[in-house]
């Protein structure tokens, strides 16, 4: 018999795969239970509701994305940090099986701002916006909140464009957009 932590990890791994590939609402708890090979009782012992599972899935995605962002950012090099983010986003968004940003996808499926899923999405996006604000501040821009929002919009657009473009083209366009924000905002 698998330890509880292992079972929980297997449920989350299946949810990650299925939610991302097929959509959250389109993936039933029964489908996840079947893929993991557990009983409903076991599933509900780990996640009382499907919503709890979705929140855990998004929290794991958020932690991974946040860790990655922090790993490529050099606080003393805002332009270099943005270039590294652009290259990573360009590479990720053009990989086979890429279906867009898990958070944007979840927000589209859960529009109610009071839903726990949507609150998880919003919390992650707020952390990302704060990271962009820290980069903008290090870059010496005069309107940090506006520059951070512009960077977030560029990031979101690159995630969507990844369906259509080549990794290098997406990364180059994103890097150019980020650089333009730093340059123009610093001149204001």
């Amino acid at each position: 018999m698998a330890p509880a932590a292992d079972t929980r990890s297997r449920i989350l791994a299946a949810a990650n795969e299925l939610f991302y590939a097929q959509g959250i609402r389109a993936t039933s708890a029964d489908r996840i239970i079947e893929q993991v090979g557990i009983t409903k009782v076991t599933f509900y012992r780990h996640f009382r509701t499907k919503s709890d599972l979705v929140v855990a899935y998004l929290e794991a995605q958020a932690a991974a994305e946040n860790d990655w962002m922090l790993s490529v950012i050099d606080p003393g090099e805002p332009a270099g940090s943005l270039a590294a983010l652009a290259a990573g986003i360009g590479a990720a968004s053009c990989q086979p099986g890429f279906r867009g940003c898990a958070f944007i996808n979840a927000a589209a499926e859960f529009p109610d701002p009071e839903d726990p899923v949507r609150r998880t999405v919003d919390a992650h996006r707020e952390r990302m916006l704060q990271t962009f604000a820290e980069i903008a501040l290090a870059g010496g821009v005069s309107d940090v909140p506006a520059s951070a929002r512009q960077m977030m919009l560029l990031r979101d657009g690159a995630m969507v464009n990844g369906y259509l473009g080549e990794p290098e083209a997406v990364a180059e366009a994103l890097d150019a957009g980020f650089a333009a924000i730093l340059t123009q905002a610093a001149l204001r």
Side-chain angles (χ1 to χ4, degrees), residues 45-118:
R45 189 176 301 133
H46 292 279
F47 299 98
R48 291 177 43 114
T49 66
K50 181 180 170 187
S51 183
D52 290 344
L53 175 59
V54 175
V55 167
Y57 151 72
L58 289 171
E59 287 173 344
Q61 292 290 317
E65 188 167 6
N66 189 53
D67 289 349
W68 170 75
M69 287 181 78
L70 294 177
S71 77
V72 300
I73 292 172
D74 178 350
E77 292 292 330
S81 295
L82 290 171
L85 288 171
I89 291 167
S93 66
C94 294
Q95 288 182 351
F98 180 77
R99 294 189 34 85
C101 171
F103 300 93
I104 293 171
N105 296 347
E109 291 193 57
F110 294 86
D112 178 1
E114 297 306 314
D115 188 291
V117 172
R118 184 57 183 266

Side-chain angles (χ1 to χ4, degrees), residues 110-181:
F110 294 86
D112 178 1
E114 297 306 314
D115 188 291
V117 172
R118 184 57 183 266
R119 287 196 310 260
T120 303
V121 168
D122 293 345
H124 174 63
R125 291 184 57 78
E126 185 58 38
R127 281 191 300 277
M128 287 179 51
L129 191 61
Q130 181 59 40
T131 299
F132 283 129
E134 290 166 5
I135 294 170
L137 183 63
V141 303
S142 58
D143 189 345
V144 170
S147 296
R149 285 190 303 275
Q150 291 169 352
M151 290 177 198
M152 182 70 105
L153 285 170
L154 285 171
R155 176 257 181 212
D156 291 349
M159 298 293 281
V160 172
N161 195 306
Y163 286 122
L164 308 171
E166 294 294 319
E168 298 80 20
V170 172
E172 288 173 13
L174 184 57
D175 187 39
F178 283 159
I181 290 169

Side-chain angles (χ1 to χ4, degrees), residues 10 13-15 17-18 22 29-38:
R10 290 187 305 121
E17 176 188 328
L18 295 168
Q22 299 175 4
D30 287 338
R31 176 68 185 98
I32 294 167
I33 289 166
E34 176 186 322
Q35 180 157 326
V36 177
I38 57 175

